[in-house]
Amino acid sequence: MTPPELILHGYWRSGTSYRTRIALELKRLEYGQVTHDLRTGAHRLETYRSMAPQGLVPVLEEGEYYLPQSPAILEFLEERYPEPPLLPTNHYERATVRAMCAVIGCDIHPLNNLRVMNAIRDDLGADDDAVKAWVTKWMASGFEALEEMVIKHGNKYAFGNSPTMVECYLVPQVYSAERFDVDMTPYPKLMRVVEHARNNAQIAAAHPDRQPDAD
Ligand SMILES: N[C@@H](CCC(=O)N[C@@H](CS)C(=O)NCC(=O)O)C(=O)O
């Protein structure tokens, strides 16, 4: 039986939507996209919240099934569409890839997303410089750890010689760092694998500028 069509509810510039697109592209899956403009608050509308109670993008729709949270979406795609794999077969290696993903998914991105930046601006009175310092602090601390992990486990890609889930997290996080003018020169090995990943045709196809809803 043909599986139902996959639809990604996201936003071109959202890092977590970009993350999910990379996985979909690397797995050569066909998918449609529905955009929810974060700038106009479309993700906070009741209609969107019925799919994603937190009002955050992305959501993956498959038939009657709606799945929020990009880490869960990536794991779902890996189980449902195992080829090509984005996790190694060895248990230790799988766990290491997940640990590298978590540096970004748990310890960088959640501190820097739109609602957190709005809260430190609106609730704590931070100005633009303070917001930039906040963003830079958490990105730098995560990238420092990742640089070491890439030195230990990386080769052409962040882990080994083929793309894994780490690319799904890392490429969008570096895109975001560059938008915030974060200095990436202290992470040469990390940037080398990112440059290599950016030249991968599937990863390139997931770039925000290449999406139908891009400005
Ligand atoms: N842990 C969630 C985080 C999702 C998330 O923070 N999405 C951002 C865009 S990258 C968002 O919807 N932000 C809207 C807001 O903060 O108001 C995931 O990985 O899916």
Side-chain angles (χ1 to χ4, degrees), residues 13-17 19 38 43-44 54-58 68-71 73 105 109-110 113-116 118:
R13 224 168 207 176
S14 132
T16 50
S17 305
R19 194 185 279 179
L38 302 186
H43 57 302
R44 287 192 283 268
Q54 286 178 290
L56 299 171
V57 295
Q69 284 291 347
S70 64
I73 297 173
H109 180 273
N113 72 7
L114 182 62
R115 62 184 180 158
V116 169
N118 285 344

Side-chain angles (χ1 to χ4, degrees), residues 33-107:
Q33 293 199 56
V34 177
T35 188
H36 302 270
D37 194 333
L38 302 186
R39 292 168 301 191
T40 61
H43 57 302
R44 287 192 283 268
L45 298 176
E46 221 28 66
T47 43
Y48 185 73
R49 278 179 179 270
S50 64
M51 295 188 284
Q54 286 178 290
L56 299 171
V57 295
V59 164
L60 185 72
E61 177 183 342
E62 195 205 69
E64 313 255 299
Y65 181 62
Y66 296 89
L67 181 63
Q69 284 291 347
S70 64
I73 297 173
L74 264 52
E75 294 285 343
F76 169 79
L77 292 174
E78 183 69 5
E79 287 175 15
R80 186 136 167 70
Y81 306 95
E83 294 299 328
L86 298 182
L87 288 173
T89 45
N90 173 287
H91 288 302
Y92 295 108
E93 293 184 353
R94 287 166 86 80
T96 299
V97 165
R98 288 186 171 118
M100 292 173 80
C101 295
V103 172
I104 294 171
C106 302
D107 297 332

Side-chain angles (χ1 to χ4, degrees), residues 106-144:
C106 302
D107 297 332
I108 300 181
H109 180 273
L111 292 162
N112 291 338
N113 72 7
L114 182 62
R115 62 184 180 158
V116 169
M117 289 196 287
N118 285 344
I120 61 172
R121 240 184 256 280
D122 301 342
D123 304 347
L124 305 177
D127 61 14
D128 286 348
D129 287 346
V131 170
K132 186 171 169 357
W134 169 272
V135 166
T136 304
K137 177 185 172 82
W138 300 116
M139 287 208 205
S141 129
F143 286 141
E144 253 169 54

